[in-house]
Amino acid sequence: MPWKSSLGRFLSSAWLQAACRLALGGIFLYASLDKIAHPRPFAEIIANYAILPDWLVTLPALILPWLELLAGLLLVAGVWTRSAAALLSLLLLAFILALGVNALRGIDVSCGCFSTSAEITENAGKLILRDLLILLPGVILLLFGKERGEAEIKKAGG
Amino acid sequence: MRLKAKHLLQMTALAAAAAALGLGANFLRREPLPLLRALPGAGAGMPAIGEVDADFVEQMRLASGILLVDARSSAAYRLGRLPGALSLPLADFAAAYAALEPQLRQAELLILYCSDRTCGDSPELARRLWHKGLKKLLLFPGGMEEWLGRGHAVEK
């Protein structure tokens, strides 16, 4: 099927892979900053999701933003690309799950996605859609990305 | 997706580095967050909600802009309620809220109640309404039991 191979070529093309790295990495890099600066409001937002027990909310509030920052930096730099993309995709899946749970409960929580303002509550459906959209470059990187070593081995093997 | 041991190792290293940075930065903060304990003063961003008793509700219930909101099941609501109260059962929150939202938003003050001091429905309702941006709330924790005990009129 020629369309399939040309789609595969498109998805694994160097420029699309680079665009996905920069998009996913950049988004998380940006998202981490406000939360690193303001862990307490972020912890309150996590508490508002009403998923974790109260004694457990400060750990993710302190650690998650740094994870976003580190993985974002690595992606933008093109180092450890697959691991960073896998980590951020896992995070996105967890966020989607958390938003989904509260959408089913009928609670519009403050997202805590890009800012730590608890005043803004948003529609969970829209947020899930946005997260799925952000997940897309992650999936493209994971499924169609080639790490340097692999590309060379493939060439060598003909 | 070809995630190899190398990638899992890298992901673990990343998580460990993030944990070290996050906990380290917290340690250096002037007011560090407590670890493995609830946030101090955590109404989770929500201030404590004022509480009122049956006599206050009786005096205020006819004032303009005040709405009484019943958090109990619709069956309990039908059996008897505070006069003029709206039914917003927690079990059916999403649908009931959607139907009542315009009225709730127009009110200047919502007084929430459920059956008695032990029922958790009205505090939970307060939490949800607060997160919907409805922040002018009062709790009537004595609820239906106190209302009846004080001999006030019940609507059926």
Side-chain angles (χ1 to χ4, degrees):
Chain A
M1 276 180 279
W3 66 269
K4 210 169 177 182
S5 70
S6 65
L7 182 68
R9 253 205 312 279
F10 168 69
L11 289 173
S12 53
S13 64
W15 70 265
L16 185 73
Q17 289 288 319
C20 288
R21 274 198 299 107
L22 293 178
L24 186 64
I27 286 171
F28 270 94
L29 205 59
Y30 170 70
S32 69
L33 298 179
D34 191 37
K35 290 181 278 189
I36 286 177
H38 305 112
R40 164 135 200 156
F42 184 48
E44 286 173 357
I45 288 174
I46 295 177
N48 281 342
Y49 271 80
I51 290 173
L52 293 176
D54 285 344
W55 56 269
L56 207 56
V57 300
T58 56
L59 277 186
L62 291 170
I63 297 172
L64 266 186
W66 286 97
L67 196 57
E68 295 178 354
L69 177 79
L70 291 179
L73 278 175
L74 288 177
L75 264 189
V76 169
V79 180
W80 290 10
T81 302
R82 183 163 300 163
S83 305
L87 241 157
L88 293 184
S89 301
L90 279 178
L91 284 185
L92 279 166
L93 286 177
F95 299 161
I96 290 169
L97 204 68
L99 288 165
V101 166
N102 278 339
L104 288 179
R105 288 175 175 167
I107 311 174
D108 277 346
V109 290
S110 163
C111 178
C113 304
F114 292 100
S115 105
T116 51
S117 164
E119 289 299 310
I120 316 159
T121 63
E122 289 145 295
N123 177 281
K126 269 187 222 159
L127 294 175
I128 289 174
L129 211 64
R130 187 173 75 186
D131 279 357
L132 285 171
L133 214 65
I134 301 175
L135 188 57
L136 196 66
V139 171
I140 294 176
L141 286 171
L142 285 175
L143 294 184
F144 298 94
K146 289 192 181 66
E147 290 197 323
R148 245 165 268 152
E150 285 174 0
E152 280 160 19
I153 291 165
K154 250 193 179 162
K155 255 180 214 160
Chain B
M1 155 148 58
R2 293 163 315 217
L3 279 179
K4 299 182 203 140
K6 177 182 83 175
H7 298 115
L8 297 180
L9 213 65
Q10 288 175 349
M11 287 161 75
T12 313
L14 266 176
L21 283 166
L23 298 179
N26 187 50
F27 182 70
L28 294 176
R29 287 176 71 84
R30 208 176 313 150
E31 291 174 57
L33 296 186
L35 301 177
L36 301 179
R37 270 189 297 118
L39 281 173
M46 190 173 103
I49 291 185
E51 299 187 350
V52 295
D53 62 7
D55 295 335
F56 178 90
V57 177
E58 172 61 22
Q59 278 175 24
M60 296 297 288
R61 68 183 175 84
L62 293 176
S64 74
I66 291 194
L67 271 186
L68 306 179
V69 182
D70 190 323
R72 300 170 305 155
S73 68
S74 42
Y77 175 84
R78 277 196 299 274
L79 282 175
R81 54 189 172 265
L82 270 59
L86 297 176
S87 176
L88 186 42
L90 207 54
D92 193 22
F93 179 77
Y97 175 79
L100 293 178
E101 181 168 9
Q103 254 179 301
L104 296 174
R105 291 210 181 273
Q106 263 186 6
E108 278 159 40
L109 181 63
L110 303 175
I111 300 180
L112 318 177
Y113 71 93
C114 46
S115 49
D116 55 39
R117 284 193 177 275
T118 61
C119 74
D121 285 7
S122 49
E124 171 62 18
L125 183 63
R127 206 177 66 78
R128 294 192 189 185
L129 291 177
W130 196 87
H131 289 302
K132 294 274 191 193
L134 291 160
K135 299 186 177 174
K136 291 169 194 158
L137 305 169
L138 283 178
L139 282 174
F140 168 34
M144 212 52 208
E145 188 185 64
E146 184 182 330
W147 188 254
L148 291 169
R150 303 288 296 179
H152 295 306
V154 170
E155 181 182 272
K156 287 188 184 177

